[in-house]
Amino acid sequence: MDSVVHTPVADRLFGQVEIELDHEGGTLRVSGGGLPAVEIRRGPGTEVATHVPIGTRDPERLTLLVDGVQETLRPAKGFLSRRSYRVEVVSATRDRRYVLVPNSTETSRLLRDKRRLGVLTSTGDGKVAVEWENGERRSTAAPEPYDAAVGYALAAAYGTGAQPMWHEALDAVTELWP
């Protein structure tokens, strides 16, 4: 059985985007649509977490390449709060900081330097849906191809959304109950 999932996305701003997720092999690739190629790789020998599409949230075990240039990838550990499931990218080549952070049980918002670019949805199966901002409000920005490529990669590699803290806390307490 082929563990690689190929998912085409028709993006309204960037055209045809290809997402290739290999959970077992630990690779994710985003290309097409005039976007720079993005690759996230899990290091060999990494213990694989089945609930994380790329297999780990350990930044020491991951590599992010955008058009062949390594950028800094920092997924948070993910525990009680939605914010603890955020994933950050620091782009030295662009002097920008990206954050994908859950804002509901199913969606996450993508920020570039604290300005919202769009809302992404992915259940961790390699499929990603996006609603881009148009940059008309002060708190938003119109996405550029680099932004979109990073956003697709993060959403596909980590999924989107998270339960609210009270729900996670309740689950943690009930796990301890005999």
Side-chain angles (χ1 to χ4, degrees), residues 40-78:
I40 298 176
R41 289 188 232 143
R42 184 180 68 229
T46 302
E47 187 175 330
V48 178
T50 57
H51 64 282
V52 180
I54 195 65
T56 186
R57 294 185 73 86
D58 182 352
E60 300 298 316
R61 309 294 285 164
L62 294 161
T63 303
L64 169 67
L65 301 170
V66 182
D67 260 355
V69 177
Q70 187 167 339
E71 300 286 17
T72 303
L73 175 62
R74 292 190 285 217
K77 296 292 182 198

Side-chain angles (χ1 to χ4, degrees), residues 12-27:
R12 70 177 177 84
L13 294 180
F14 302 102
Q16 190 72 14
V17 177
E18 298 292 328
I19 300 171
E20 181 181 296
L21 173 63
D22 182 353
H23 177 74
E24 289 178 27
T27 60

